[in-house]
Amino acid sequence: MRSIWNGAISFGLVSIPIKLVNATESHSISFRQIHVSDGGRVRYRKVCELDGEEVPSAEIGKGYEEADGSIVPITDEDLAQLPLATAKTIEIMSFVPAEEIDPLQMDAAYYLAANGATAAKPYTLLREALKRSRKVAIAKYALRGRERLGMLRVVDDVIAMHGLLWPDEIRAPEGVAPEGTVSVRDAELDLADALMATLGEVEMASLHDDYRDAVEAMIVAKSGGAFEPTEAVVEPAGGQVVDLMAALEKSVRAAKASRGEGGAEGSDEAEAEVTPIRRKAGTGRGAGTGTGAAAAAPKAVGGKKSTAASAKKTAASATKKKATGAGGTGKSVAGKSASGASKSTSKTAATKSTAKTAAAKKTGAGAAKKAATPRKRTSA
């Protein structure tokens, strides 16, 4: 890899010659600006405001613009004469635990490579000291015309340096947090922990830029003339969360199902399964409703039992409504009528008897007629 800066690490009285190499690279796809009507490329030209002519790069220098708009020229020689000790040196100032570094300060990352055979020994010494102490080194260095803050740590067998923002470059998060007091229940935290445990296990090396792949495929298709644009299906963003617990539970099930851990339990069918509760006949609120009445209705059984019961109810009703002086005779007749009905084995007769019984209950005349018939049989 090509180095972008040569210098040394100052470690007390130890000096370690090193080369600075970029540790990261951008894979973003760059686009050129074109003229839409004819496809011609649009270029930026550096033109002097005074004479209106284009200026080549060799004739372009630096300058500081003051408040009144005047320009103060600054040359590379002027910058080189500044008393900057870190111009060619990464000066280590202290060693601190890694957790004391705020990730908000992290900037660009570099690899520090030993420059020459004489640098191998002190380079290895610093690397092993960082490993054993489990600390990082805070250092100052100068790059691209300005002094910067850096953090040195060990990555595999290499010393890496992260550029850090100065503390005064970190903005305070004023007005960012939600307004007012929001309380979170322990049950909600437990579900959040479960979701974090399910989603937290991932290999960083397996992550990649899906959007970049799609753009590259589109470019290849358009260059070959076989590109057919399709409208992307974008799921609408979620609205206001009504039930946070339900959303967390569903998220945990969905995460487990996507990893093959939940099986059928992670499906919507399992969530929608309902087991009905059966109520006893004549109890609870169902006894007064149509559902309760249907539950309380007895099942149809043999013709003898139903006919005998209906005959007894008919005889009793007839006796109460048309009671005469021969009360004992009425009871005896009712008993005989019930006995005769119980001996009937024909289903048709049982059905007719049941129908007559219902009619006797509805109207007094029908009941009287049924009661008059058995009296004639008794007197005979």
Side-chain angles (χ1 to χ4, degrees), residues 259-313:
R259 295 174 179 269
E261 298 176 7
E265 295 179 1
S267 62
D268 293 339
E269 289 79 1
E271 180 183 357
E273 183 179 357
V274 177
T275 303
I277 300 176
R278 296 183 178 179
R279 298 182 180 272
K280 293 183 179 180
T283 60
R285 292 179 298 175
T289 62
T291 305
K299 295 182 179 179
V301 292
K304 293 183 179 180
K305 186 174 181 181
S306 298
T307 304
S310 62
K312 288 181 180 180
K313 290 181 180 179

Side-chain angles (χ1 to χ4, degrees), residues 352-377:
K352 290 182 179 180
S353 177
T354 305
K356 289 181 180 180
T357 303
K361 288 183 179 180
K362 292 182 180 179
T363 62
K369 187 176 181 180
K370 287 293 292 181
T373 302
R375 286 198 185 94
K376 290 180 181 180
R377 292 180 183 177

Side-chain angles (χ1 to χ4, degrees), residues 139-215:
K140 286 183 178 182
Y141 67 101
L143 183 64
R144 299 186 181 97
R146 56 173 292 211
E147 189 175 54
R148 303 170 187 263
L149 191 64
M151 178 190 74
L152 276 64
R153 69 185 184 97
V154 178
V155 177
D156 295 334
D157 289 332
V158 175
I159 299 176
M161 182 174 70
H162 294 269
L164 299 179
L165 299 176
W166 296 99
D168 59 358
E169 293 179 319
I170 304 298
R171 299 174 62 184
E174 296 178 356
V176 179
E179 297 181 359
T181 303
V182 180
S183 60
V184 179
R185 293 180 295 170
D186 291 340
E188 294 171 340
L189 285 174
D190 293 339
L191 281 174
D193 291 340
L195 182 58
M196 291 169 60
T198 304
L199 299 178
E201 299 177 0
V202 63
E203 294 183 3
M204 296 298 294
S206 65
L207 302 177
H208 62 282
D209 190 349
D210 294 330
Y211 179 76
R212 187 189 72 221
D213 295 343
V215 172

Side-chain angles (χ1 to χ4, degrees), residues 2-27:
R2 185 175 63 88
S3 63
I4 61 173
W5 184 87
N6 293 339
I9 299 175
S10 175
F11 179 32
L13 298 178
V14 179
S15 181
I16 310 171
I18 54 96
K19 296 184 293 184
L20 195 67
V21 179
N22 279 322
T24 62
E25 57 185 359
S26 175
H27 290 165

